[in-house]
Amino acid sequence: MKKIIVNDTTIFSISKAGKRTAFKDRVEAARLLDGALLDAIELPEFSDDKTEEILIKSISTVAKNAAVAVRVPLAAPEYAEKAAEAMKNAAKKRLQVAAPVSAAQMEFVCHKKPAAILKAIIGKDAET
């Protein structure tokens, strides 16, 4: 093994668990994690919430070493552009799109057929 990549999910996990942590504390946690020389700091899935957008902007200015990794939903491609805009000041940035791989998840989570999921991933007709 030549390289080990370390991503931290602390801020993502806090948000996913529904715990309310002060904005200032999340930014300070990102600053400390960045100082630990991690490869990426994973943030919660992007939504149209202004508070989350400001959090991404704030963490993007704080993170100098680690990539700022923001999850965007496959079902809302317009969020990718908004998330990219929010982290434009980050030294390193990463958009993470999670796509379902089982037919059950495709139909019950995303409400799409496999061909539609493939089209959403590659951005063009799945048959080509």
Side-chain angles (χ1 to χ4, degrees):
M1 198 174 312
K2 294 185 180 188
K3 183 176 181 181
I4 297 173
I5 296 174
V6 180
N7 293 347
D8 184 84
T9 60
T10 303
I11 298 170
F12 171 78
S13 299
I14 290 170
S15 297
K16 188 165 178 121
K19 297 177 182 171
R20 301 306 292 164
T21 306
F23 185 90
K24 182 180 175 185
D25 292 341
R26 290 189 280 173
V27 174
E28 180 63 16
R31 188 185 66 72
L32 293 171
L33 291 168
D34 186 58
L37 301 177
L38 300 169
D39 292 294
I41 300 169
E42 293 190 24
L43 301 180
E45 184 170 90
F46 187 83
S47 64
D48 237 355
D49 184 20
K50 270 296 202 198
T51 306
E52 291 299 322
E53 187 176 338
I54 294 169
L55 176 68
I56 293 168
K57 287 181 181 181
S58 299
I59 290 175
S60 294
T61 59
V62 168
K64 303 296 180 205
N65 302 308
V68 176
V70 178
R71 297 176 188 220
V72 291
L74 181 65
E78 66 277 5
Y79 285 1
E81 289 180 26
K82 289 181 179 181
E85 178 64 26
M87 56 183 183
K88 69 180 178 185
N89 293 326
K92 300 175 193 172
K93 43 194 151 275
R94 180 185 309 160
L95 290 176
Q96 297 181 165
V97 181
V101 294
S102 74
Q105 283 184 324
M106 290 177 195
E107 298 222 13
F108 295 111
V109 175
C110 291
H111 308 291
K112 294 184 179 189
K113 299 283 184 189
I117 293 289
L118 185 58
K119 184 178 180 182
I121 292 170
I122 61 176
K124 54 185 171 183
D125 195 0
E127 278 69 65
T128 59

